[in-house]
Amino acid sequence: MSTVLSQFPILMNILLFLILAAVVWISGSRLAYLSNVAAGRLGISTSLMGLLFLSTTTSLPEIATTVSAVIDARPRLALNNLYGGIALQTAVLAAADIFARGAISNYPRKANHALEATLLVSLLSLSIIVVVIGEPIVIWNVGLGSFFVLVFYCSAIFLLRKYDDNNDWIPVDLQEVKSNLQSQSQPDQVNNATTRRVVWMNIAYASVIFIAGVSLVQMSVVISEQSGIGMDIMGVVFLAGATSLPELSTTLAAVRLGAYTLAISNIFGSNLIMVGLVFPADFLFRQGAILSFADKTVQLAAALGILVTSAYLIGLLIRRKPRVGRMGLDSVFVLVVYIGSLGLYWILR
């Protein structure tokens, strides 16, 4: 597909890119609504639905991109896409804060999201440690460091799943939020549908996101090559932006629905998956431990991921925080950091 697209003029490829982006946007918006409905039908908390199903679905383009990059022996592209997408997706949550009724980090009534953020910071810190000290032990071209990342990721998901029903941390005097599901177009078609049909509709829209998202990734690579953008910048900004479109559409839709816990878990869950993909990428990459190919751009991306995630962790713990316009101060900080990071990436190019 990339060979065919490279023969088209760059303007035509940009037009096709925008069409596919619209498809992903519409499908992601529908998926956020359907996931919220499915959570209620199946008796699953919205935070768990966002962490396990929605985040996995919206991460399918990242998974496909990572697999493609390592098979093509492009380890730096794979790593820049994975770690570069973390700050970008957190900035998506900050942008969605504009549509929330009050700072979005004020609404979670349990410690799940603070735990998600803490585990993500720990996982990113572990990644930086492995990159700095190198991979001293490599077995079958798989580094011991990436294996530790996998073990930590699996342990984090197990802990989050087990903690989901735990109510030992209950903040008081919180804002109430009502879901705005009934304002959506064609609500009766979903509300009157059977649970089985709702589940299949979730699967159908997830499939559309996967197909259109993978096509977006391939088009972004072609457009980047045609425009002469550097490989590192392409991976950490442009390619990460293309693969993050599903997260953007689903998060904005969830916030507009009033499903704030779904939106937050979607982003933090997607970011956890991004780091967790390091081991599969290392396993498929046959030319050595993949983290040994990480450069300063990857280290910067991981550090920025820690910074923006920590900002929301503070926001989740400090319930009453200053607002700037319609956004919480933590969201404003995240957006400023991400915009500033673009200049840092350009310096390191």
Side-chain angles (χ1 to χ4, degrees), residues 12-328:
M12 181 178 294
N13 284 329
I14 292 175
L15 177 61
L16 293 173
F17 181 91
L18 294 176
I19 293 173
L20 286 172
V23 172
V24 170
W25 187 274
I26 295 172
S27 300
S29 299
R30 297 290 187 270
L31 187 63
Y33 175 75
L34 288 166
S35 296
N36 203 23
V37 174
R41 296 283 188 89
L42 299 174
I44 302 173
S45 68
T46 54
S47 61
L48 189 61
M49 177 64 78
L51 177 67
L52 298 182
F53 173 72
L54 195 60
S55 63
T56 302
T57 299
T58 55
S59 296
L60 288 175
E62 282 94 346
I63 296 173
T65 303
T66 301
V67 172
S68 176
V70 295
I71 290 177
D72 292 341
R74 295 183 176 184
R76 289 172 59 190
L77 178 62
L79 292 173
N80 283 327
N81 175 55
L82 291 178
Y83 287 98
I86 293 174
L88 172 58
Q89 290 178 171
T90 309
V92 165
L93 184 61
D97 197 1
I98 299 174
F99 301 96
R101 295 184 289 277
I104 194 171
S105 56
N106 284 350
Y107 285 96
R109 312 182 73 84
K110 297 169 65 176
N112 299 54
H113 302 308
L115 182 58
E116 291 168 4
T118 302
L119 292 171
L120 178 58
V121 168
S122 301
L123 199 54
L124 288 169
S125 301
L126 177 60
S127 299
I128 294 177
I129 292 173
V130 174
V131 171
V132 171
I133 68 175
E135 290 276 21
I137 301 177
V138 179
I139 302 175
W140 295 324
N141 290 325
V142 176
L144 185 62
S146 65
F147 176 74
F148 284 151
V149 170
L150 173 67
V151 171
F152 194 103
Y153 169 77
C154 293
S155 301
I157 296 301
F158 174 79
L159 179 61
L160 289 168
R161 175 64 185 89
K162 186 176 181 179
Y163 191 81
D164 185 64
D165 297 325
N166 195 317
N167 292 316
D168 61 351
W169 187 84
I170 305 177
V172 297
D173 192 22
L174 295 181
Q175 304 179 62
E176 293 291 340
V177 56
K178 296 181 179 180
S179 177
N180 195 30
L181 290 176
Q182 295 300 327
S183 67
Q184 299 298 302
S185 60
Q186 302 177 333
D188 292 339
Q189 291 185 1
V190 176
N191 293 332
N192 296 332
T194 64
T195 300
R196 183 176 181 179
R197 178 173 173 77
V198 170
V199 171
W200 278 110
M201 291 173 70
N202 272 278
I203 295 174
Y205 278 112
S207 301
V208 171
I209 288 176
F210 173 69
I211 296 172
V214 171
S215 300
L216 270 176
V217 170
Q218 294 180 337
M219 296 205 66
S220 67
V221 173
V222 172
I223 294 173
S224 297
E225 291 175 347
Q226 289 179 329
S227 61
I229 298 176
M231 183 65 67
D232 290 340
I233 296 294
M234 181 182 77
V236 83
V237 178
F238 192 48
L239 188 56
T243 56
S244 295
L245 275 175
E247 285 86 357
L248 177 60
S249 60
T250 52
T251 300
L252 288 178
V255 170
R256 293 173 72 89
L257 288 171
Y260 300 130
T261 56
L262 184 69
I264 297 173
S265 285
N266 177 35
I267 294 300
F268 286 164
S270 295
N271 287 345
L272 282 168
I273 290 174
M274 299 279 268
V275 187
L277 285 173
V278 168
F279 179 80
D282 198 3
F283 182 79
L284 293 173
F285 184 63
R286 297 288 80 201
Q287 297 169 4
I290 194 169
L291 285 177
S292 64
F293 289 85
D295 56 5
K296 291 184 178 180
T297 305
V298 175
Q299 296 179 51
L300 175 61
L304 289 169
I306 292 174
L307 185 60
V308 295
T309 305
S310 298
Y312 271 124
L313 178 58
I314 295 172
L316 289 166
L317 296 175
I318 300 177
R319 311 304 297 188
R320 293 181 177 85
K321 62 186 71 65
R323 294 177 61 190
V324 179
R326 295 177 56 87
M327 303 172 62

